[in-house]
Amino acid sequence: MADKSDKDLLIGIIDLCESIKSAVAGKSLQQFEQDDILRDAVAYRLAAIGEDCKGLSAAVKKQHDLPWKQIIGMRNRLAHDYFGSAPKVVFETATGDLDPLCEACRASLTALSGEK
């Protein structure tokens, strides 16, 4: 399989962030903890974000002061169940940490789209 381009990865990350934000909108931690399907879906999407971030070029990552290592590390913890996919950690990430990443990806996508 061919490597994805930065543009494709950025679009994927944005789509995943928006999907997660939509899924958890208006949910409390208690509701999230009680909904196995929602918890699993959000954890899967967060892992996918980490995987896509891992594929981004160094040039894109250097454009933004984000905790790239931690974002990618979250993927590893979720995929390998290092913290039992602690619902509180997953929920807090889904409800509090995605906006800066999504905004950075949008800015990078805009910059890439301006290049010919």
Side-chain angles (χ1 to χ4, degrees):
M1 182 169 95
D3 290 333
K4 292 182 182 178
S5 69
D6 280 334
K7 182 178 178 180
D8 290 337
L9 291 167
L10 292 166
I11 290 169
I13 294 166
I14 293 165
D15 288 347
L16 288 162
C17 287
E18 295 299 335
S19 175
I20 291 169
K21 291 189 315 186
S22 175
V24 299
K27 303 281 187 204
S28 68
L29 174 59
Q30 183 179 10
Q31 290 171 315
F32 183 77
E33 289 175 325
Q34 294 172 347
D35 190 336
D36 293 345
I37 294 171
L38 177 60
R39 254 191 359 257
D40 290 348
V42 170
Y44 176 82
R45 287 182 172 94
L46 288 173
I49 287 171
E51 188 69 24
D52 283 352
C53 286
K54 187 166 61 170
L56 288 172
S57 69
V60 168
K61 290 178 190 173
K62 286 180 185 178
Q63 294 173 359
H64 307 284
D65 184 25
L66 291 173
W68 295 110
K69 192 172 187 175
Q70 288 83 1
I71 294 167
I72 295 164
M74 173 69 112
R75 177 257 174 231
N76 295 335
R77 289 187 293 279
L78 290 168
H80 300 291
D81 204 30
Y82 290 152
F83 49 54
S85 298
K88 184 176 180 184
V89 174
V90 173
F91 183 75
E92 288 173 350
T93 301
T95 58
D97 295 336
L98 295 179
D99 285 337
L101 174 63
C102 194
E103 290 170 17
C105 289
R106 287 185 197 284
S108 289
L109 186 59
T110 298
L112 283 174
S113 296
E115 297 174 3
K116 298 289 179 192

